[in-house]
């Protein structure tokens, strides 16, 4: 993410409806998650899938750049294992909250992540819109996209202005609405009555909040994943500034850019590549860290300073869910819990063992939670 200032404060905790990834099944449905113990062969196959997905993501990025780029990539849903298929589907693995933590979360065969009774016609919408965080791009969701699409979900991952392969100078972004325009343009073009599930990561939380205020009737649910979940009148900078614990690692990693001259306010924030792993990817596979190190772009400064204007009738009418990342060094768990206390969502899930980038460090468990949230009636 970007700015992380802090001062001492004490926040009283209200009792909240908190659900670990282990207990999500009991809370949301009658399904029973069963543990899948991978053999050496399974691990080899998982590694191969990981490499294929990574190669596909890089090839896609190169293809887009060669063809002038695009603000979003949107793949139509293709149900690879339709109803009536003879291919036997296995139950979801038990969440990371009940198994030994490893440094990586193997990317299992997508059909292994679904229960036999998943029926997309039973959910309000099967369309996920994934919104990246500051400095990231649509590329960071490549594992999540693959897993959701294999289950028949439709997935749109947007590149916000000046992010990913969006061809705009980050230093020239002067407002949150300009930064979020690819997302709001997409929602604006949805047919009347069509709804999506918004998933925001990091600064993407503020971005989906902005979109929820503008298009509440087009958002079925909003999922904040290690994300800035702000109150009205609050900026992302305000959110970071309220916390007691200073984040020295974030301060060390920040490199302020002054495209308008050193006498003017910063125009963007870059992150020290040598500190990326410790700050954002401390539980993530080395290959994903390598992908991020060559793909991340500066974070526009003005949108981080902008205070959100959120109303109960619009933003407040959308169902919100929060996925906590307890091993997060960028938005520490204490700060996540403070945001949850100030603006309680419908449910809170804890993705145990996840760093700031759960789409890399815990892709299968994140996927399971997204499907579980989609199914909540």
């Amino acid at each position: 993410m970007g700015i992380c200032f802090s001062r001492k404060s004490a926040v009283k905790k209200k009792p909240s409806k908190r659900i670990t990834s282990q207990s999500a099944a009991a809370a949301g449905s009658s399904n029973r998650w069963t543990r899948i113990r991978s053999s050496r062969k399974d691990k080899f196959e998982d590694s191969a899938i990981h490499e294929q997905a990574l190669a596909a993501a890089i090839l896609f990025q190169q293809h887009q750049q060669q063809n002038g780029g695009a603000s979003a990539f949107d793949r139509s849903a293709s149900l690879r294992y339709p109803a009536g298929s003879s291919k036997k589907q296995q139950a979801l693995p038990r969440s990371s909250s009940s198994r030994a933590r490893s440094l990586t979360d193997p990317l299992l065969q997508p059909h292994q992540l679904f229960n036999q009774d998943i029926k997309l016609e039973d959910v309000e919408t099967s369309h996920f819109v994934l919104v990246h965080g500051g400095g990231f791009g649509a590329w960071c969701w490549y594992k999540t996209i693959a897993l959701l699409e294999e289950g028949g979900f439709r997935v749109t991952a947007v590149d916000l202005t000046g992010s990913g392969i969006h061809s705009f100078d980050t230093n020239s972004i002067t407002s949150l609405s300009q930064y979020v325009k690819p997302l709001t343009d997409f929602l604006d073009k949805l047919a009347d009555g069509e709804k999506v599930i918004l998933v925001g990561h990091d600064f993407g939380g503020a971005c989906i909040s902005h979109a929820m205020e503008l298009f509440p009737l087009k958002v079925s649910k909003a999922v904040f994943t290690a994300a800035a979940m702000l109150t009205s009148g609050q900026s992302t900078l305000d959110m970071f500034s309220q916390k007691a614990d200073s984040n020295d690692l974030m301060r060390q990693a920040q490199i302020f850019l002054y495209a308008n001259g050193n006498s003017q306010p910063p125009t963007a924030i870059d992150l020290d590549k040598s500190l990326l792993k410790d700050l954002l990817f401390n539980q993530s596979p080395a290959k994903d860290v390598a992908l991020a190190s060559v793909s991340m772009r500066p974070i526009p400064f003005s949108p981080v300073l902008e205070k959100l204007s959120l109303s109960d009738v619009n933003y407040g009418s959308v169902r919100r869910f929060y996925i906590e990342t307890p091993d997060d060094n960028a938005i520490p768990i204490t700060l996540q819990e403070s945001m949850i206390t100030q603006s309680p969502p419908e449910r809170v899930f804890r993705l145990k063992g996840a760093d700031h980038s759960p789409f890399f460090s815990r892709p299968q468990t994140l996927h399971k939670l997204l499907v579980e949230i989609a199914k909540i009636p």
Side-chain angles (χ1 to χ4, degrees):
M1 203 358 256
I3 317 300
C4 187
F5 299 116
S6 54
R7 58 180 175 76
K8 294 198 173 182
S9 64
V11 180
K12 285 189 177 179
K13 297 264 182 75
K14 297 178 186 173
S16 62
K17 201 167 185 180
R18 189 177 307 278
I19 301 175
T20 65
S21 41
Q22 175 184 2
S23 60
S29 72
S30 62
N31 298 326
R32 295 291 180 265
W33 312 136
T34 58
R35 180 178 299 162
I36 297 175
R37 298 186 182 277
S38 297
S39 63
R40 290 185 179 179
K41 179 182 176 183
D42 291 333
K43 291 179 180 177
F44 175 79
E45 290 174 350
D46 294 344
S47 177
I49 292 168
H50 178 100
E51 292 181 6
Q52 289 167 6
L54 184 59
I58 294 171
L59 284 173
F60 173 80
Q61 188 174 10
Q62 292 173 344
H63 172 76
Q64 288 291 86
Q65 288 171 334
Q66 290 166 3
N67 290 277
S71 64
F73 56 90
D74 180 6
R75 306 179 186 181
S76 62
S78 60
L79 186 56
R80 316 272 172 90
Y81 301 100
S85 168
S86 60
K87 185 176 286 293
K88 185 177 180 182
Q89 297 189 9
Q90 301 179 36
L92 286 167
R94 189 175 297 278
S95 77
S96 59
S97 62
S98 59
R99 58 190 165 99
R101 186 194 306 177
S102 63
L103 289 178
T104 60
D105 196 20
L107 189 62
L108 300 183
Q109 293 276 7
H111 66 272
Q112 289 180 301
L113 294 170
F114 278 85
N115 285 23
Q116 295 178 14
D117 61 350
I118 296 281
K119 296 178 181 176
L120 294 185
E121 61 267 23
D122 293 339
V123 301
E124 182 179 15
T125 178
S126 59
H127 190 173
F128 280 92
V129 176
L130 310 178
V131 182
H132 63 80
F136 291 85
W139 52 266
C140 72
W141 298 105
Y142 78 93
K143 295 179 183 179
T144 304
I145 293 167
L147 292 168
L148 287 171
E149 286 189 340
E150 284 289 347
F153 288 92
R154 183 180 175 193
V155 186
T156 303
V158 298
D159 273 322
L160 299 177
T161 305
S163 303
I165 57 173
H166 189 282
S167 56
F168 193 86
D169 180 8
T170 307
N171 292 289
S172 300
I173 298 171
T174 58
S175 68
L176 182 63
S177 59
Q178 181 186 12
Y179 180 60
V180 184
K181 193 172 187 300
L183 172 61
T184 52
D185 283 352
F186 173 81
L187 293 173
D188 186 45
K189 291 173 184 174
L190 287 178
D192 289 342
E194 186 177 353
K195 290 190 173 188
V196 299
I197 297 173
L198 286 181
V199 181
H201 169 247
D202 184 83
F203 185 38
C207 299
I208 67 171
S209 297
H210 177 81
M212 290 155 64
E213 178 66 25
L214 296 177
F215 301 98
L217 298 180
K218 294 187 176 182
V219 184
S220 168
K221 295 167 184 168
V223 185
F224 293 78
T225 306
M229 187 171 65
L230 310 178
T231 57
S232 187
Q234 192 177 36
S235 70
T236 304
L237 175 61
D238 292 336
M239 180 268 292
F240 276 118
S241 298
Q242 70 178 329
K243 212 45 219 149
D245 315 297
S246 61
N247 193 334
D248 291 335
L249 185 59
M250 176 66 84
R251 285 201 177 96
Q252 292 171 28
Q254 289 173 354
I255 302 170
F256 289 91
L257 306 180
Y258 297 85
N260 298 326
N262 291 339
S263 61
Q264 300 298 315
T267 50
I269 310 156
D270 210 350
L271 295 175
D272 185 336
K273 293 291 191 291
S274 68
L275 296 176
L276 279 183
K277 179 172 176 61
D278 289 341
L279 180 65
L280 305 176
F281 313 112
N282 51 295
Q283 300 289 337
S284 297
K287 292 176 183 177
D288 293 325
V289 181
L291 173 64
S293 69
V294 298
S295 303
M296 292 192 73
R297 293 176 63 179
I299 304 157
F301 190 67
S302 291
V304 175
L305 300 179
E306 191 167 323
K307 296 182 185 296
L308 292 184
S309 179
L310 306 174
S311 65
D312 289 339
V313 67
N314 291 337
Y315 170 84
S317 68
V318 180
R319 300 173 69 185
R320 287 179 294 118
F321 301 84
Y322 201 99
I323 298 178
E324 295 180 335
T325 47
D327 286 2
D328 195 325
N329 288 338
I331 303 183
I333 187 64
T334 50
L335 181 50
Q336 295 177 45
E337 290 178 340
S338 174
M339 290 186 288
I340 289 164
T341 300
Q342 291 181 17
S343 181
E346 183 174 323
R347 292 190 189 176
V348 176
F349 300 84
R350 175 166 287 202
L351 217 173
K352 203 163 185 181
D355 57 21
H356 186 61
S357 305
F359 36 74
F360 289 158
S361 59
R362 290 292 179 269
Q364 65 182 33
T365 335
L366 172 63
H367 167 76
K368 184 192 75 173
L369 291 181
L370 293 179
V371 173
E372 183 65 22
I373 290 169
K375 289 168 54 187
I376 295 173

